[in-house]
Amino acid sequence: MDIFEKCYNFTEAEKIKGMGIYPYFRAISSGQDTEVTVDGKKMIMIGSNNYLGLTSHPKVKEAALEAVKRYGSGCSGSRFLNGTLDIHEKLEERLAKFMQKEAVQVFSTGFLTNVGTIATLVNRKDYVITDRSDHASIVDACRLCFGNIVKFKHNDMSDLQRVLGSCNDNAGKLIVVDGVFSMEGDIANLPEIVNLAKQYHARVMVDDAHSIGVLGENGRGTAEHFHLEDEVEMVMGTFSKSFASLGGFLAASERVINYIKHFSRALIFSASPPPAAVAACLAALDVIEQEPERRERLWRIARRMHREFRALGFEIGSSQTPIIPIYIGDDIKTFQFWRMLSDEGIFSNPIISPAVPPGSQLIRTSYTATHTDEQLDRVLEVFEKVGKKMGVI
Ligand SMILES: Cc1ncc(COP(=O)(O)O)c(C=O)c1O
């Protein structure tokens, strides 16, 4: 059998392209902002994770430019050997202080942070316990570890208890959840997770990719939101969302970070984040700390959009955050809905299985603190028009 046979047999993308509803790999010819340019046409962006609008912040852009002038374009090696710059260390110190943890390790992406943490910590006989809706990078991290992988139903605490009860008492246990679930926009039930973790002697890791800068009084994420920062031992974040850059980090105790530094293959065998990305993160962190009004504006927008989508009759599930899914429930219908939004100048993301369970196909919308009220009015107007045309509302 030819290893390439699966490639020759994969024709779904061509079929969808033939129907004019292929939504992926669209080239944007402007900056990532609330308005973007695609094929020469201006579109309102509601498909970005640029929650605080920092991709175009003058201080963030300036910091990246200055870093290129001083350090050049890349690091040409991993953090472990020749790829550590003083600004990597500065970023780690600043983030540890911000997250109120003993130490931070920066990785080259959020995906690598999960892989490089989970696969390193969960050894033979240990357990990693994950929510069924956890991000793909957690799923893949589990595949790479040698321990036992067990899953519980999405945010279902009695199922988590059942799973914990089935684990060997004497084995190490790590519960890993998304703080904010990336497609559903709901928040992990951290108070109960922490309770159960204590009861069953498990440790907790929260993936706060969508929560840092967004949740909590100071933007420190899900644990701050629930006042549980001392109880959550490990928090990972990514720089590809609120930080408007690229990279990821793990915040934990000094002993855990020291272990990760010396055993994490995703850290040791992959090149470090480039100077421009690191400097942009440092500047973004300044803004996160100094401009809380951005977070407040984001939440006003999120609350308005929850209210108005519900009032129009859309099914938005249990979203509590600036990630608001519009459930459609069928692949082709989701793509058609996306296409009609696109024709009306709205950039959104259609999400189908395996990113969501079959039957839960959705249009993922997400908001930015710098969206104007007029842009949001237009988004709602288009959704109402398309929703009625498609029989969704
Ligand atoms: C919940 C979650 N975790 C991890 C990641 C990976 O982050 P990155 O884009 O920095 O690789 C993402 C990004 O898609 C995410 O949504």
Side-chain angles (χ1 to χ4, degrees):
M1 161 114 116
D2 182 355
I3 191 81
F4 291 160
E5 199 163 315
K6 58 180 91 59
C7 314
Y8 303 136
N9 291 339
F10 171 67
T11 54
E12 275 85 349
E14 281 72 22
K15 254 184 251 162
I16 301 292
K17 279 181 191 169
M19 292 168 76
I21 52 173
Y22 181 79
Y24 305 122
F25 300 101
R26 280 163 294 162
I28 295 172
S29 55
S30 61
Q32 182 81 210
D33 221 323
T34 58
E35 190 179 85
V36 294
T37 306
V38 178
D39 291 334
K41 194 175 108 181
K42 288 199 184 316
M43 303 185 80
I44 299 174
M45 170 57 87
I46 52 162
S48 176
N49 302 304
N50 178 23
Y51 296 116
L52 300 177
L54 300 189
T55 49
S56 56
H57 196 293
K59 285 186 189 161
V60 177
K61 288 168 74 169
E62 190 54 35
L65 289 168
E66 284 304 314
V68 172
K69 283 186 201 154
R70 174 160 176 190
Y71 298 97
S73 57
C75 295
S76 308
S78 91
R79 291 295 306 280
F80 196 64
L81 297 173
N82 61 303
T84 292
L85 296 173
D86 52 1
I87 49 173
H88 287 114
E89 292 187 333
K90 187 171 169 199
L91 179 60
E92 286 166 350
E93 280 162 27
R94 286 280 315 277
L95 281 169
K97 216 168 174 190
F98 174 69
M99 294 300 293
Q100 301 190 347
K101 289 275 185 266
E102 284 175 10
V104 156
Q105 181 61 51
V106 163
F107 289 76
S108 302
T109 66
F111 199 108
L112 282 177
T113 307
N114 278 332
V115 169
T117 301
I118 297 166
T120 305
L121 287 178
V122 182
N123 296 157
R124 239 173 268 285
K125 296 192 178 150
D126 292 334
Y127 289 86
V128 56
I129 300 145
T130 60
D131 185 297
R132 282 205 179 277
S133 292
D134 275 353
H135 189 257
S137 54
I138 298 174
V139 175
D140 284 16
C142 292
R143 287 178 182 156
L144 279 175
C145 78
F146 291 108
N148 303 293
I149 306 161
V150 274
K151 294 185 180 178
F152 60 96
K153 287 186 200 149
H154 177 49
N155 234 349
D156 181 332
M157 295 299 109
S158 54
D159 203 40
L160 172 58
Q161 180 156 29
R162 177 192 64 76
V163 161
L164 283 165
S166 71
C167 299
N168 180 344
D169 266 354
N170 298 320
K173 299 175 204 71
L174 179 65
I175 302 172
V176 188
V177 290
D178 287 15
V180 168
F181 288 89
S182 53
M183 298 301 151
E184 295 84 355
D186 54 344
I187 303 176
N189 184 350
L190 214 46
E192 195 49 32
I193 290 168
V194 161
N195 260 342
L196 288 170
K198 273 189 197 145
Q199 216 174 306
Y200 290 89
H201 308 292
R203 301 284 191 173
V204 178
M205 173 176 175
V206 175
D207 176 334
D208 260 346
H210 298 274
S211 341
I212 308 265
V214 175
L215 277 186
E217 202 184 331
N218 299 286
R220 292 202 296 269
T222 315
E224 187 190 22
H225 171 76
F226 286 114
H227 307 290
L228 287 170
E229 287 177 278
D230 289 341
E231 284 82 354
V232 174
E233 290 96 356
M234 291 199 294
V235 176
M236 74 73 72
T238 161
F239 301 137
S240 61
K241 307 188 193 301
S242 289
F243 284 85
S245 183
L246 183 71
F249 72 90
L250 176 73
S253 69
E254 185 276 325
R255 293 319 296 165
V256 169
I257 295 295
N258 183 57
Y259 185 83
I260 294 287
K261 268 185 184 315
H262 295 97
F263 290 95
S264 176
R265 296 164 68 83
L267 176 75
I268 295 171
F269 296 99
S270 190
S272 60
V278 178
C281 288
L282 276 163
L285 184 54
D286 286 340
V287 179
I288 290 172
E289 289 182 324
Q290 291 161 13
E291 299 181 20
E293 61 274 16
R294 284 178 183 264
R295 194 163 41 261
E296 287 154 20
R297 166 76 184 152
L298 179 65
W299 279 100
R300 275 200 303 283
I301 291 173
R303 281 192 287 270
R304 172 184 175 196
M305 298 310 270
H306 287 145
R307 196 172 56 242
E308 300 224 25
F309 275 128
R310 284 205 172 101
L312 286 171
F314 286 105
E315 174 56 61
I316 65 166
S318 45
S319 166
Q320 297 163 269
T321 65
I323 298 171
I324 309 183
I326 307 294
Y327 285 94
I328 309 292
D330 172 84
D331 285 0
I332 296 296
K333 204 169 169 185
T334 302
F335 289 145
Q336 286 168 335
F337 200 106
W338 162 82
R339 175 62 203 263
M340 287 165 82
L341 293 174
S342 181
D343 288 346
E344 295 280 350
I346 307 293
F347 192 117
S348 67
N349 291 315
I351 310 291
I352 61 167
S353 176
V356 289
S360 294
Q361 291 90 334
L362 56 92
I363 301 287
R364 181 184 187 273
T365 76
S366 50
Y367 299 89
T368 296
T370 47
H371 270 125
T372 64
D373 290 339
E374 293 69 31
Q375 286 174 329
L376 301 173
D377 292 344
R378 174 72 186 145
V379 168
L380 289 162
E381 184 191 323
V382 171
F383 266 86
E384 182 174 14
K385 181 171 163 190
V386 174
K388 282 182 178 158
K389 234 186 213 166
M390 292 289 298
V392 172
I393 52 169

